[in-house]
Amino acid sequence: MESQSHSSDDTTMIAESVREVRQTFSSGKTREESWRREQLKRLLSLLLEREDDICRALGQDLGKHHVESYRDEVGPLIKSVNYALQGLKKWMAGRKAELPLAAFPASAQLVPEPLGVVLIMSSWNFPFGLCLEPLVGAIAAGNGAVIKPSELSPVSSSVLAELVHAYLDTTAIKIVQGGVSVGEQLLQQKWDKIFFTGGAKVGRVVMTAAARNLTPVALELGGKCPAVVDVLSSSWDQKIAMKRILSAKFGTCAGQACIAIDYILVEKKFSSTLVELLKTAIFSMFGENQKENIARIINKSHFSRLRNLLNEPMVTNSIVHGGWLDEDNLFIEPTLLLDPPVNSGIMSEEIFGPLLPIITLERIEDSIEFINSMPRPLAIYAFTNSEGLKKKLSSRTSSGSIVFNDAIIQYVADSFPFGGVGESGFGRYHGKFSFEVFSHEKVIARRSFLVDFWFRYPPWNDHKLQLFKSAYVFDYLGILLILLGLKKS
Amino acid sequence: MALGVEGVAGELRSIYATGKTKTFEWRVSQLKAILKITAHHEKEIVEALHSDLKKPELEAFLYEVSGVSSVCKYALKELHRWMMPEKVKTSMATYPSSAEIVSEPLGVVLVISTWNYPFLLSLEPVIGAIAAGNAVVLKPSEIAPATSSLLLKLLGEYMDTSAVKVVEGAVPETTALLEQKWDKIFYTGSGKVGRIILAAAAKHLTPVVLELGGKCPVVVDSNVNLKVTARRLIAGKWCYNSGQTCISADYAITTKEYASTLVDALSSELEKFYGKDPVKSNDLSSIINSYHFDRLTKLLDDEKVSGKIVLGGQRDKANLKIAPTIVLDAPEDSLILNEEIFGPLLPIVTVNKIEDSITLIKAKEKPLAAYLFTNDKKLKEEFIRSVSAGGIAINEIALHALEPTLPFGGVGESGMGSYHGKFSFDAFSHKKSVLQRGFSGDPAARYPPYTPGKLKFLQAMLSGSIIRILRALIGW
């Protein structure tokens, strides 16, 4: 489209920005623990002081409620920054390791170092979260960073730029705003790592561009995240499950989230109960005025895409709740579908919207085969009390993460990694993993001059060979015996 | 052109889907099969390595046969532990919950190997892939043809060939393999081909490990135990396949003052190692083929360089042997100082102060390894702090590569990802997060309809502060 003509102002600005960040990185400033700590603290201030600006921007771009924005973006970010501040010293210190006898005496450590200057490309659905969570890791690891927010959430993009430039060290951390053309030009630069959140199509473009410079990448992509819903007999369990399911679909950016529940799998015999439970819960959770508590669709193009998914003939007939579209306000009400055709668009593509297909199966175990017939998703969810089903699901399917009896919540964890596998991406972050994804773990092996094993050097003979054979299996006794001449080959 | 390799990834995918390769029993059986290969075919392996590289028997045994068998034994010993899920703590934010990280195989993986340690660099990654439960295709280097066909034969005899395949060939076969969809590609070789691999992988969003090379510098300070240093330096250059090793010392840096002392020490130790006529020594490997032989002699015959040879320079074209050669202060722009040498030529670059060596190294691309011989604590710390490389060794060369508890891999131009020991297992695994919750209750604050009270609660929960949570609950 506009990719052929790059504005020469843009090109200059981009090259200049990257050059400045690289210069700052080379000066060594960003490697100092004090710098990293200071930036993280300032980021924390940014989040605490400007919560209203952030939530207002999200309201304008996506119609998100303030509480949803806090729950999904601001809050988790505050938590992540605090976690990084707490862990920073320890993370920076690295760790020790052992060495074999043939190297004795010696010691070894693993010391993390920053990769250098990194590019973070974010998506539009959680514009603050998806720019700043990776940034926390990039800063903690001591890098310089350039962030390209998505142009599809322009208010957030511009507020982010304003806030970062007001609070953080802009000689080392920059926001570059723009669309496809700016993205392409950024990809022409040489980076030490690229962290990309978005769709597979652009993910391929990013990785191909990175290949030219042997730049390692992390790709946080998407997929169709299924929720397997087992028979739940207790009404308490049902109530909680419904809340969590609905929140993980309609309550999270109206389903426009990489880890939103895309579709449900349920046994035929439980399906009508499930539909009724969902309908009841939708009403009690979203009430009369749904627009207030549910986000909008990001733009007309995605709105049309979703409408087309619903308009496929066999799909329209499968709607059992909702289906009302308000194009002027880019609003789609929570919509439930029962058994749309498996080869329809809504069941082949990632939905990324407030449409929830429910697929019925003879037995709940059939969900495993169903899930495995699709590309590996970022998350698999299962609502069940059966330990047997949990075990089967976990061992026979593969996904970025698997969560039992809840959804989306894995996003706020620090102790285990967040990332995909196969088509849902590679690389991971959150908690210490954010620090690691932007670090190189350098090995430092030390030796003294005190002891040297003469058998290390040519000219070679059998005697030396035997000594080596023993040394390599840590067979100290064997070595001693050979040295004393008591053991032969 | 149908090469017969087009469908291999798909074939392996069907086998992988049966779940066979994920079982502990299958993995153990395959690892044991590799052990049998090294135990019963040591002679053939050493012969193939001799045919391809004139590799001295001890080097072949040590780094390849014994290398592979110790990697395999280590994997067998540790496998049970590696396969265990890792329990992790969970925080306030997901309370109450329990979590663990589970290792799963990635699926069907491709290992593309190289020619200098053709047996080791083929099987060590394959061992990692199998230990992690994957189906694997190995494409050995065609530049070491005897080893390549021996690998085809031996793996064909001993391994489960429905899930572990060897595909021989050159560029056309490799291209045909790269067009297919893999769950991981592990490549050892050059940066030029590394870029091709990465671009091919991008089409299928395949993660890769690239073990590349670079110019690994060795800095020699004047306050060292010279005899030991000289021996270790020689071992780290010429005892590893005549310098054709990604982590051998590519070039040396020392002070102008110390240079001649160093050269003398190297010269005297080299004679002890290889005798007066090193080209005839059986303890020295040959150059792999005439293409590389010519490449190396060209580096020496460059008119600006040939005058700077202070030791060696002899060559035997018929046997593809080049004597250990030292070049002192070749011009900065000469090829020998700009390309990875991968041969028995050691340029020494002199600097005024030893600290200047750090600036010199930083001006080049990040290497796979960087080495420093010194007793000066400050220099050590500065070197470790400032020089970025896959790994750094102080007073030793290449040592770290032999240790399974240390990750082995590059950074920047020297590569991405790492392996050895558990890192091999990890390189071919997906670490899946498993989070378990019950239905025991949930703050209403998570859910719509949204209210200011809920906001306060969330602020408290995500801050982790018990006091704030209590207050929010009470309504303050």
Side-chain angles (χ1 to χ4, degrees):
Chain A
M1 289 184 307
E2 36 149 328
S3 52
Q4 289 311 313
S5 57
H6 299 312
S7 122
S8 65
D9 285 339
D10 271 351
T11 318
T12 318
M13 180 269 292
I14 288 168
E16 256 314 301
S17 302
V18 179
R19 192 190 353 260
E20 188 183 354
V21 176
R22 196 162 279 290
Q23 211 168 345
T24 308
F25 177 75
S26 305
S27 76
K29 174 160 73 152
T30 64
R31 303 182 71 143
E32 300 296 324
E33 184 184 335
S34 55
W35 182 88
R36 307 184 203 194
R37 214 169 265 289
E38 177 63 29
Q39 294 309 298
L40 290 172
K41 287 194 178 136
R42 291 198 203 168
L43 186 53
L44 192 57
S45 302
L46 186 165
L47 295 163
L48 292 169
E49 290 165 16
R50 309 296 287 263
E51 175 191 324
D52 286 346
D53 292 325
I54 293 170
C55 293
R56 195 176 313 124
L58 289 168
Q60 285 181 268
D61 280 328
L62 287 150
K64 281 193 200 186
H65 192 284
H66 188 117
V67 178
E68 184 184 331
S69 298
Y70 188 88
R71 184 198 68 197
D72 294 344
E73 298 202 54
V74 181
L77 278 169
I78 291 172
K79 168 204 63 76
S80 296
V81 176
N82 278 322
Y83 191 81
L85 279 166
Q86 243 183 357
L88 187 62
K89 208 180 186 69
K90 190 151 171 276
W91 298 348
M92 283 177 70
R95 50 201 171 107
K96 279 183 173 271
E98 284 177 41
L99 285 174
L101 180 68
F104 180 85
S107 69
Q109 307 151 265
L110 298 173
V111 164
E113 34 168 56
L115 289 166
V117 176
V118 307
L119 173 64
I120 297 170
M121 302 181 93
S122 160
S123 170
W124 47 262
N125 51 349
F126 297 87
F128 290 92
L130 298 176
C131 284
L132 299 178
E133 289 280 355
L135 182 63
V136 170
I139 291 173
N143 300 276
V146 172
I147 304 170
K148 164 138 169 23
S150 169
E151 73 281 15
L152 296 187
S153 44
V155 182
S156 301
S157 172
S158 130
V159 168
L160 187 61
E162 183 212 316
L163 294 178
V164 163
H165 293 145
Y167 282 78
L168 303 179
D169 177 355
T170 56
T171 65
I173 302 168
K174 290 195 191 294
I175 304 271
V176 172
Q177 297 192 75
V180 173
S181 157
V182 166
E184 278 172 356
Q185 289 177 74
L186 282 168
L187 289 173
Q188 303 289 328
Q189 300 287 322
K190 182 164 155 47
W191 304 98
D192 299 303
K193 183 114 190 188
I194 299 177
F195 189 101
F196 171 80
T197 307
K201 184 154 148 267
V202 181
R204 286 182 174 86
V205 171
V206 170
M207 195 171 164
T208 308
R212 278 200 324 267
N213 293 314
L214 287 175
T215 300
V217 309
L219 300 178
E220 296 274 332
L221 309 176
K224 290 181 79 63
C225 301
V228 176
V229 182
D230 198 5
V231 176
L232 297 169
S233 37
S234 135
S235 71
W236 175 264
D237 291 359
Q238 289 170 355
K239 200 157 107 186
I240 300 288
M242 292 312 111
K243 278 194 182 172
R244 291 176 180 176
I245 290 170
L246 294 179
S247 177
K249 179 68 159 187
F250 311 112
T252 306
C253 205
Q256 300 163 103
C258 52
I259 42 171
I261 293 177
D262 188 279
Y263 66 100
I264 286 180
L265 292 165
V266 68
E267 251 179 28
K268 274 191 173 39
K269 69 174 195 257
F270 191 58
S271 58
S272 44
T273 313
L274 178 62
V275 170
E276 286 316 305
L277 286 169
L278 286 168
K279 284 183 185 175
T280 312
I282 287 174
F283 186 74
S284 76
M285 193 177 267
F286 301 112
E288 299 281 317
N289 191 357
Q290 295 174 84
K291 284 212 188 78
E292 221 193 82
N293 287 298
I294 300 179
R296 280 199 303 269
I297 307 307
I298 182 68
N299 59 21
K300 276 201 160 35
S301 161
H302 278 278
F303 188 91
S304 304
R305 179 182 65 79
L306 291 163
R307 183 179 39 214
N308 291 340
L309 288 181
L310 284 181
N311 284 348
E312 279 186 44
M314 297 290 283
V315 174
T316 322
N317 294 342
S318 69
I319 298 176
V320 293
H321 179 91
W324 178 64
L325 299 105
D326 175 356
E327 182 153 9
D328 293 330
N329 292 305
L330 292 177
F331 187 80
I332 297 177
E333 71 164 323
T335 300
L336 304 174
L337 304 101
L338 188 57
D339 280 324
V342 169
N343 58 7
S344 57
I346 205 173
M347 282 311 295
S348 346
E349 296 168 20
E350 185 175 2
I351 297 168
F352 231 67
L355 319 176
L356 181 58
I358 298 162
I359 306 292
T360 63
L361 306 162
E362 285 306 318
R363 304 172 315 135
I364 199 66
E365 287 81 12
D366 298 341
S367 57
I368 293 171
E369 201 186 316
F370 191 96
I371 292 170
N372 287 341
S373 70
M374 304 229 203
R376 287 168 285 186
L378 203 39
I380 291 175
Y381 304 111
F383 291 83
T384 179
N385 284 314
S386 158
E387 292 307 315
L389 182 62
K390 287 182 197 172
K391 271 202 178 61
K392 282 199 191 122
L393 271 169
S394 185
S395 60
R396 298 202 202 148
T397 63
S398 180
S399 53
S401 315
I402 183 164
V403 182
F404 295 110
N405 299 327
D406 207 335
I408 306 248
I409 198 166
Q410 72 272 27
Y411 184 80
V412 300
D414 303 305
S415 58
F416 50 84
F418 182 87
V421 64
E423 308 249 330
S424 47
F426 56 82
R428 57 208 195 147
Y429 69 136
H430 288 185
K432 185 176 184 218
F433 305 99
S434 293
F435 175 87
E436 288 171 358
V437 80
F438 291 106
S439 297
H440 163 57
E441 202 173 31
K442 185 166 71 181
V443 170
I444 315 285
R446 296 168 198 261
R447 239 191 121 169
S448 80
F449 290 107
L450 283 178
V451 179
D452 213 15
F453 287 109
W454 51 272
F455 58 84
R456 279 190 67 194
Y457 310 116
W460 302 125
N461 54 46
D462 272 341
H463 191 55
K464 291 184 180 181
L465 187 56
Q466 284 314 304
L467 284 165
F468 265 112
K469 285 189 177 182
S470 296
Y472 274 109
V473 292
F474 297 102
D475 179 10
Y476 308 122
L477 183 61
I479 292 181
L480 194 57
L481 293 175
I482 294 173
L483 283 171
L484 293 172
L486 293 174
K487 184 172 164 174
K488 296 280 173 214
S489 54
Chain B
M1 173 174 65
L3 297 164
V5 307
E6 283 86 3
V8 70
E11 276 171 46
L12 260 66
R13 212 167 273 294
S14 323
I15 298 294
Y16 176 75
T18 66
K20 170 164 72 159
T21 65
K22 293 172 86 164
T23 66
F24 180 74
E25 292 71 29
W26 183 87
R27 304 183 205 195
V28 167
S29 74
Q30 297 306 290
L31 293 176
K32 285 191 168 153
I34 295 180
L35 263 186
K36 285 205 192 91
I37 292 176
T38 56
H40 300 158
H41 297 270
E42 184 181 321
K43 197 155 167 297
E44 285 164 72
I45 296 166
V46 168
E47 270 166 18
L49 290 167
H50 189 82
S51 160
D52 283 332
L53 290 147
K54 293 251 186 330
K55 202 171 269 216
E57 187 188 334
L58 197 135
E59 269 190 52
F61 169 76
L62 261 189
Y63 303 126
E64 303 227 42
V65 182
S66 170
V68 170
S69 95
S70 59
V71 167
C72 212
K73 285 188 184 139
Y74 188 81
L76 276 163
K77 182 163 150 270
E78 299 292 314
L79 186 61
H80 186 75
R81 202 181 334 242
W82 292 347
M83 285 176 72
M84 282 189 333
E86 182 197 335
K87 286 221 176 303
V88 293
K89 286 207 284 239
T90 52
S91 68
M92 240 9 258
T94 56
Y95 182 84
S97 61
S98 69
E100 57 184 17
I101 302 173
V102 157
S103 297
E104 315 184 312
L106 288 164
V108 178
V109 306
L110 174 64
V111 172
I112 300 176
S113 168
T114 186
W115 54 261
N116 58 345
Y117 292 84
F119 194 71
L120 175 70
L121 298 179
S122 295
L123 291 183
E124 181 151 17
V126 166
I127 288 167
I130 289 173
N134 300 278
V136 52
V137 169
L138 166 66
K139 166 56 201 101
S141 170
E142 69 279 14
I143 299 179
T147 310
S148 174
S149 62
L150 185 63
L151 281 165
L152 177 68
K153 169 165 167 277
L154 291 176
L155 269 67
E157 268 172 41
Y158 284 81
M159 313 289 291
D160 174 358
T161 55
S162 69
V164 179
K165 284 196 198 299
V166 176
V167 171
E168 288 196 277
V171 173
E173 287 78 9
T174 310
T175 309
L177 286 170
L178 287 172
E179 272 161 17
Q180 300 174 51
K181 180 168 152 65
W182 304 94
D183 298 307
K184 189 117 186 186
I185 298 175
F186 186 104
Y187 170 73
T188 308
S190 72
K192 178 157 154 270
V193 178
R195 283 167 167 79
I196 296 172
I197 307 261
L198 200 46
K203 297 206 182 71
H204 296 287
L205 295 170
T206 300
V208 309
V209 171
L210 299 177
E211 296 273 332
L212 309 176
K215 289 183 80 62
C216 302
V218 52
V219 177
V220 184
D221 199 359
S222 51
N223 57 16
V224 298
N225 177 328
L226 185 54
K227 191 149 175 239
V228 174
T229 299
R231 285 182 171 181
R232 289 180 185 174
L233 212 165
I234 294 170
K237 175 77 170 187
W238 292 284
C239 297
Y240 292 123
N241 214 17
S242 209
Q244 301 164 98
T245 301
C246 52
I247 41 168
S248 65
D250 183 279
Y251 66 106
I253 309 175
T254 193
T255 53
K256 290 194 186 331
E257 268 183 333
Y258 199 63
S260 51
T261 315
L262 178 61
V263 172
D264 288 340
L266 286 170
S267 172
S268 126
E269 291 300 323
L270 273 166
E271 199 177 306
K272 290 192 198 140
F273 280 34
Y274 298 112
K276 282 201 191 301
D277 197 357
V279 164
K280 292 207 169 39
S281 166
N282 282 331
D283 291 332
L284 190 69
S285 297
S286 328
I287 307 308
I288 179 75
N289 59 24
S290 49
Y291 166 80
H292 281 283
F293 182 90
D294 292 340
R295 180 183 64 78
L296 288 162
T297 50
K298 207 165 128 232
L299 292 179
L300 284 180
D301 293 341
D302 177 338
E303 58 183 13
K304 291 181 278 171
V305 172
S306 53
K308 306 280 188 174
I309 298 176
V310 294
L311 184 75
Q314 306 100 301
R315 51 200 88 164
D316 174 356
K317 182 149 186 163
N319 289 311
L320 294 177
K321 280 232 163 103
I322 299 178
T325 302
I326 299 178
V327 175
L328 186 57
D329 278 328
E332 232 179 87
D333 61 351
S334 51
L335 273 179
I336 201 175
L337 284 183
N338 288 288
E339 272 183 15
E340 185 174 3
I341 296 167
F342 228 69
L345 321 176
L346 180 71
I348 299 181
V349 177
T350 60
V351 289
N352 290 321
K353 313 188 270 97
I354 199 65
E355 291 80 7
D356 296 342
S357 60
I358 295 178
T359 323
L360 211 155
I361 295 171
K362 285 174 73 171
K364 294 196 201 282
E365 295 292 349
K366 298 178 187 180
L368 197 43
Y371 307 110
L372 171 64
F373 285 83
T374 186
N375 270 319
D376 178 344
K377 190 162 189 277
K378 218 162 138 259
L379 183 62
K380 280 184 202 175
E381 298 312 317
E382 183 57 31
F383 193 85
I384 289 170
R385 222 184 57 84
S386 322
V387 172
S388 180
I392 289 183
I394 309 284
N395 298 333
E396 180 49 77
I397 294 187
L399 177 77
H400 58 294
L402 301 174
E403 174 45 46
T405 59
L406 299 175
F408 181 77
V411 63
E413 283 287 323
S414 49
M416 56 184 76
S418 61
Y419 73 131
H420 285 189
K422 180 166 194 273
F423 301 96
S424 296
F425 177 87
D426 291 343
F428 289 102
S429 296
H430 166 57
K431 303 289 180 177
K432 182 164 78 179
S433 293
V434 180
L435 176 63
Q436 287 241 32
R437 299 203 77 203
F439 292 107
S440 62
D442 232 4
R446 271 180 74 182
Y447 311 113
Y450 298 124
T451 65
K454 289 186 177 181
L455 182 59
K456 273 208 165 33
F457 188 84
L458 286 171
Q459 286 167 333
M461 277 299 270
L462 286 160
S463 77
S465 152
I466 305 284
I467 309 268
R468 283 189 75 176
I469 293 171
L470 284 172
R471 279 159 134 195
L473 282 171
I474 301 170
W476 284 356

